[in-house]
Amino acid sequence: MIVARGVEMIELAIEAFGNKATLNPTLVWDDKEAVLIDIGMPGQSEAIRSAMEAAGVPFEKLSAVILTHQDLDHIGSLPEILSQAAGIIDVYAHVLDKPYIEGQQHLMKTDPAKMSKDAWEALPEPARFIYANPPKTEITQTLADGDVLPFCGGIQIIFTPGHTPGHISLYLKESKTLVAGDAMISINGVLRGPVQQTTPDMETATQSLKKFADIEIASVICYHGGLVNENVMEQLKELMKK
């Protein structure tokens, strides 16, 4: 789905435990290069490449991947994408999530050691394998609040912890698009706060939303729920009040 000139919201279908859902990585590009923000579950590299081609962006143009955080559904296909690349693709993430993404620590929310025996045994075998052997990738450059990456008119880093310690959101300056990661979700075009079930520190995650108050935002891409582009600033103000 085209969000703005040079901004595409990718739609990746997944199915888990009989439930269907859609993940929404973001593709940003200009005449020189392309950048992916988040990258789906393991095994979705071909779907990502197909989405890029459908948007008229050759895979060979991809020069960077920015990860909003460490969760499996955001980093899953990264090793596959990197292995398929002919050139160098730089990988960016916040320093606090770096050790999890690089495999020095187990991913926080899919660590078998932190799961009950019943919860672990309830998982299908493929899920157990992935949880026990999560994808890991070396981070090229760590990010901090306020950093601006020089891609596609400028991508500003907004540190929005709570969902994970190193969660970030991204502001695409040229199109005034906020890529929220999991800092928010959307339901039928309505913004909602972080999901309590998957957010270890709800108080911090809720406070993080206040960082959006002084930014002029025309549209929001939520990784879960997709695009919100109507009454965005009004919706954000109401969400912050809650």
Side-chain angles (χ1 to χ4, degrees):
M1 178 186 293
I2 296 174
V3 177
R5 183 174 177 270
V7 181
E8 175 95 2
M9 186 185 74
I10 295 174
E11 297 173 281
L12 298 177
I14 61 168
E15 186 170 351
F17 305 105
N19 297 316
K20 295 181 180 180
T22 301
L23 307 178
N24 298 118
T26 300
L27 174 66
V28 188
W29 74 95
D30 58 18
D31 294 337
K32 297 191 301 179
E33 57 196 342
V35 177
L36 274 169
I37 303 171
D38 291 331
I39 207 153
M41 288 288 286
Q44 293 191 300
S45 62
E46 289 305 315
I48 291 168
R49 292 185 63 161
S50 295
M52 291 181 66
E53 295 291 340
V57 183
F59 178 69
E60 294 72 24
K61 200 171 184 177
L62 183 64
S63 64
V65 172
I66 306 171
L67 302 172
T68 61
H69 62 292
Q70 62 173 278
D71 284 354
L72 181 63
D73 58 336
H74 292 253
I75 70 169
S77 284
L78 184 53
E80 303 160 38
I81 290 289
L82 296 180
S83 70
Q84 294 165 10
I88 295 174
I89 297 178
D90 291 323
V91 182
Y92 297 78
H94 193 275
V95 64
L96 293 179
D97 271 14
K98 176 183 176 181
Y100 299 93
I101 297 166
E102 292 189 332
Q104 298 157 24
Q105 298 184 50
H106 206 288
L107 300 182
M108 291 177 61
K109 300 171 194 174
T110 53
D111 186 349
K114 296 179 180 178
M115 299 178 68
S116 70
K117 182 180 178 181
D118 289 345
W120 176 253
E121 291 180 350
L123 292 171
E125 185 57 38
R128 276 191 253 174
F129 178 82
I130 293 172
Y131 281 23
N133 303 276
K136 50 188 176 183
T137 302
E138 184 177 350
I139 301 302
T140 310
Q141 182 173 324
T142 56
L143 300 169
D145 192 34
D147 286 350
V148 178
L149 299 176
F151 302 124
C152 309
I155 299 178
Q156 180 180 339
I157 307 304
I158 307 168
F159 182 42
T160 48
H163 186 74
T164 68
H167 189 285
I168 58 172
S169 301
L170 308 171
Y171 181 61
L172 312 181
K173 290 191 167 188
E174 195 167 88
S175 62
K176 299 179 181 177
T177 300
L178 176 69
V179 181
D182 286 355
M184 298 183 285
I185 64 168
S186 67
I187 300 176
N188 298 323
V190 178
L191 288 171
R192 303 289 176 87
V195 177
Q196 186 165 5
Q197 184 179 1
T198 58
T199 304
D201 187 348
M202 275 294 289
E203 182 177 353
T204 299
T206 302
Q207 290 298 314
S208 290
L209 299 181
K210 295 180 180 179
K211 294 191 174 184
F212 304 144
D214 298 325
I215 304 171
E216 185 180 356
I217 300 170
S219 57
V220 179
I221 299 174
C222 297
Y223 199 70
H224 301 283
L227 180 65
V228 176
N229 58 4
E230 293 185 7
N231 303 316
V232 172
M233 296 307 296
E234 290 82 358
Q235 287 199 49
L236 284 169
K237 289 175 183 176
E238 286 300 313
L239 198 58
M240 290 173 207
K241 287 180 184 178
K242 296 176 183 178

